[in-house]
Amino acid sequence: MISMDLAKQTCIPCQEGAPKLTEAELADLLPQLPGWEVVDNHHLTRSLRFIDFQTALDWVNAAGAICEVEGHHAEFSLGWAHAEAVIYTHKVDGLTQADAVLAAKLNGIDV
């Protein structure tokens, strides 16, 4: 079983061929990742709404800083009063525990 305190963990870089999360593991983790959706058992996505462009930009900048610290990078899109994040592990072309950890950390951003 995967540890349930995701936001306190560190993203551990994976190697090619590292195990992907199973559907059962994803189902167990998703309640800990409010706002995130599993898409095609391949990636996590979250759409966020804000009061204006600057607040959306502030969130993306804070999220990017977390990605740099963790050495695990999400994909972001940004527009007026909204942002979207997409997370998956490119090396395995799917989801790993590091993706869940990063999503949990991004949920902790307060802008």
Side-chain angles (χ1 to χ4, degrees):
M1 169 152 286
I2 295 173
S3 172
M4 294 302 173
D5 201 1
L6 294 172
K8 292 184 180 177
Q9 293 183 31
T10 300
C11 292
I12 299 172
C14 75
Q15 303 297 319
E16 271 186 66
K20 296 178 188 179
L21 292 173
T22 66
E23 282 188 55
E25 289 170 327
L26 287 167
D28 285 344
L29 292 173
L30 202 53
Q32 300 172 66
L33 303 172
W36 291 91
E37 178 182 340
V38 177
V39 178
D40 296 331
N41 234 26
H42 177 268
H43 57 276
L44 296 169
T45 185
R46 181 167 183 210
S47 295
L48 300 107
R49 288 282 187 201
F50 300 95
I51 60 170
D52 57 20
F53 182 82
Q54 185 62 55
T55 307
L57 179 60
D58 291 345
W59 186 89
V60 170
N61 285 332
I66 290 170
C67 291
E68 279 295 296
V69 167
E70 294 298 319
H72 191 53
H73 299 89
E75 297 177 17
F76 299 103
S77 61
L78 170 68
W80 195 91
H82 66 91
E84 182 177 18
V86 176
I87 302 173
Y88 70 99
T89 299
H90 293 81
K91 285 185 180 178
V92 300
D93 195 28
L95 291 166
T96 65
Q97 184 171 350
D99 301 308
V101 169
L102 183 58
K105 289 181 179 292
L106 298 187
N107 273 358
I109 297 171
D110 185 25
V111 291

